[in-house]
Amino acid sequence: MTSTASHKPILDKPFVLDLFAGPGGLDVGGHALGIPSLGIEWDKSACLTRYAAGLDTLHADVSAVRRDAFESLPPEINVLAGGPPCQTYSVAGNGVGREALEEVKKYIERLLTKGESDRKIDKDLKTLSGDPRTAMVLEPLRYAIQATRSPNRERRPYDVIVLEQVPAVEALWHHYAKVLKEIGLPDGTKYEVVVKVLDTETYGVPQTRSRAVLIARREGLGAPSLPKATHLPYEAKEWNRRSDQASDGVYQATLDDGIAPEAEEREETGGEARQHWRSMGDVLAKPVGTHLGRATPFLVRSNYGSSGIPGRRGVRSDRQPATTVTGRISRFVVFQHLDEKIVYEGPRFSMNEAGMLQSFPPDYPWSGTAQAQQVGNAVPPLFGAHLLSAALGLPAPDPEVMREPWEPATEEKRAKLRSHGCGASDECTAQCPRPEDHAPPSSSARPRKNKKASAP
């Protein structure tokens, strides 16, 4: 851990319940801080990755656990965390969640109104936006309420709540903050809350990714604060792209201006020394674990809108941070040998390289199918560690911890984790959720028919 300031942890033994846990981003961040966690995740492949990584997991639907198995959760859990599904809120999604934000706010008041049954609210939520994932953003609040009703917990509220989502949900987090501070939970518990959109590259993640975060502490535990940025924000330079189509159909591109600053250089910003943002080359060029390093220089043409604008592809060099890593990371095209004026398409990012751009440790054991989607959906572990450290009064994490190769679980431990999470040591059981239960209606999918790819 790296810190020159004094820190006073607010909890003696933090234990995190990670809702919508994915392949383990927040849990890996907690691991770097020495914090135990239990994750709830409905996707089978993400659970396989978690079991392989040795992370305690319930392969279950978050809503179902709250309704039917809340009393089975460890009573010592005192930190609630999660990043609800973002597809319907993201600019890359179909947007039905953004249209339903005002309606979702009304449900927050209903949840905090004494006397209205969960059954009635669940029935009404089924009609919300036509996509079952939209209502999932309410689950953290419903868990916070349920904790105050749980005999197994002696009706103790969670001490800390940490949430993150795409920037479009910032307004909803502000509404969360308002009710947690002014109205409180039905038992009277109130929280001090901070909300803001943060940029992950300012915390050492080699990727530009903005997230709306909420950090809440129960009254009496002190006012929460946002994590202090450790790196400078990325500011796009003047990149001059020359798209001369060569005879073999490959595009050439050249860099116009100076070299990006080295990661170890520091600048004084607001009276504090910050490192420069980390580039793709900073993390991928150097060998670590079984990663042999990637030859530089290279250019990356993303398959995702640049600067949050869908339809406009971005091109960046190894001397820049990656664009937002999404489930399309496997489609990013990498061009190499730029220094010799010979440009050709090189190997695309492996899953371990994609994970490293998210700040996952090298050799993280990605498993199951749709691995690119797992990587793209995950909370960047280093960013997650910063959120948890700020929420719990701990020193900021050392980014180099995430560079250490991950030790996968033994077959024995993996079987034990799956037996706990799925009900059997080598397979899913009837208690495991079905993927179709959270699938959006077919009408909400964006049309792809006859859609042609555009040039970089």
Side-chain angles (χ1 to χ4, degrees):
M1 309 302 167
T2 59
S3 177
T4 57
S6 59
H7 293 267
K8 184 177 180 181
I10 65 168
L11 299 178
D12 292 333
K13 296 180 179 180
F15 189 159
V16 178
L17 176 63
D18 185 8
L19 308 180
F20 317 102
L26 194 69
D27 306 75
V28 171
H31 181 273
L33 300 171
I35 300 173
S37 61
L38 169 64
I40 304 176
E41 173 56 39
W42 76 275
D43 180 69
K44 176 181 177 180
S45 290
C47 286
L48 293 178
T49 295
R50 293 177 60 85
Y51 298 147
L55 301 175
D56 198 7
T57 305
L58 292 179
H59 183 195
D61 178 279
V62 165
S63 301
V65 172
R66 173 182 52 79
R67 290 192 305 266
D68 307 323
F70 193 91
E71 294 304 300
S72 67
L73 297 175
E76 59 269 30
I77 288 172
N78 50 15
V79 179
L80 179 68
C86 71
Q87 289 89 343
T88 62
Y89 298 98
S90 170
V91 295
N94 55 32
V96 294
R98 297 196 301 279
E99 297 173 2
L101 276 177
E102 291 305 315
E103 193 67 24
V104 171
K105 289 180 182 179
K106 297 176 184 178
Y107 278 92
I108 292 177
E109 275 78 16
R110 291 180 61 182
L111 287 168
L112 297 175
T113 301
K114 296 180 180 180
E116 187 162 13
S117 69
D118 282 346
R119 182 177 299 179
K120 177 64 166 62
I121 291 177
D122 286 338
K123 180 180 179 180
D124 293 347
L125 279 171
K126 289 180 179 179
T127 65
L128 182 62
S129 82
D131 191 322
R133 296 172 297 182
T134 302
M136 290 296 171
V137 77
L138 293 168
E139 282 299 332
L141 179 59
R142 304 188 79 174
Y143 266 75
I145 294 171
Q146 191 66 25
T148 66
R149 299 170 176 169
S150 169
N152 190 41
R153 294 181 51 84
E154 298 180 348
R155 295 178 172 79
R156 287 180 294 105
Y158 295 118
D159 293 313
V160 173
I161 301 173
V162 179
L163 305 176
E164 65 87 40
Q165 247 278 14
V166 293
V169 181
E170 181 187 14
L172 187 60
W173 285 166
H174 278 295
H175 200 66
Y176 254 71
K178 179 180 174 64
V179 299
L180 288 173
K181 288 190 292 186
E182 298 179 5
I183 301 175
L185 303 180
D187 73 330
T189 299
K190 293 184 178 181
Y191 291 82
E192 293 293 329
V193 192
V194 289
V195 175
K196 192 174 182 179
V197 173
L198 302 178
D199 298 322
T200 61
E201 83 272 11
T202 63
Y203 298 94
V205 179
Q207 171 196 176
T208 52
R209 185 188 193 102
S210 298
R211 306 298 289 181
V213 303
L214 176 151
I215 298 177
R217 289 182 184 174
R218 184 171 51 80
E219 280 188 341
L221 293 177
S225 60
L226 296 165
K228 291 184 178 180
T230 55
H231 292 67
L232 294 171
Y234 169 74
E235 295 180 2
K237 295 180 177 292
E238 293 297 325
W239 299 88
N240 179 28
R241 292 165 48 205
R242 180 164 53 87
S243 299
D244 297 328
Q245 190 169 12
S247 58
D248 59 356
V250 176
Y251 285 88
Q252 296 182 349
T254 56
L255 178 61
D256 179 50
D257 64 349
I259 298 175
E262 296 294 332
E264 60 266 20
E265 293 180 356
R266 304 176 74 87
E267 286 186 13
E268 293 293 329
T269 303
E272 296 182 357
R274 295 189 195 175
Q275 299 181 55
H276 281 287
W277 40 262
R278 303 186 77 187
S279 69
M280 291 183 279
D282 290 334
V283 297
L284 297 184
K286 300 174 183 177
V288 58
T290 60
H291 172 68
L292 300 178
R294 177 174 280 269
T296 57
F298 62 79
L299 282 180
V300 179
R301 185 186 71 199
S302 76
N303 196 266
Y304 180 66
S306 178
S307 302
I309 303 176
R312 190 176 77 189
R313 296 184 178 188
V315 175
R316 293 190 182 180
S317 85
D318 60 278
R319 288 176 283 180
Q320 295 173 281
T323 54
T324 302
V325 173
T326 70
R328 300 172 184 173
I329 184 65
S330 59
R331 303 180 193 175
F332 287 15
V333 180
V334 182
F335 298 99
Q336 294 185 297
H337 277 206
L338 305 176
D339 54 337
E340 300 175 8
K341 306 299 181 183
I342 301 173
V343 184
Y344 69 92
E345 185 175 332
R348 300 194 179 190
F349 291 133
S350 67
M351 285 304 99
N352 279 107
E353 287 179 320
M356 291 166 70
L357 295 177
Q358 275 274 62
S359 74
F360 274 91
D363 303 334
Y364 195 69
W366 301 101
S367 304
T369 60
Q371 293 181 14
Q373 196 66 48
Q374 292 183 50
V375 175
N377 286 348
V379 177
L382 181 55
F383 182 62
H386 275 282
L387 294 180
L388 289 174
S389 65
L392 298 170
L394 300 173
D398 182 351
E400 290 306 308
V401 172
M402 300 301 180
R403 295 281 292 168
E404 298 175 1
W406 188 269
E407 184 176 348
T410 63
E411 288 297 328
E412 180 180 3
K413 184 175 182 179
R414 192 179 308 191
K416 183 176 181 180
L417 288 170
R418 190 165 190 183
S419 181
H420 173 235
C422 290
S425 62
D426 58 352
E427 62 181 356
C428 287
T429 66
Q431 74 179 34
C432 298
R434 299 175 303 171
E436 58 267 26
D437 291 339
H438 278 292
S442 57
S443 60
S444 69
R446 286 184 172 184
R448 292 179 174 271
K449 192 174 182 180
N450 297 328
K451 184 178 180 181
K452 295 182 179 180
S454 58

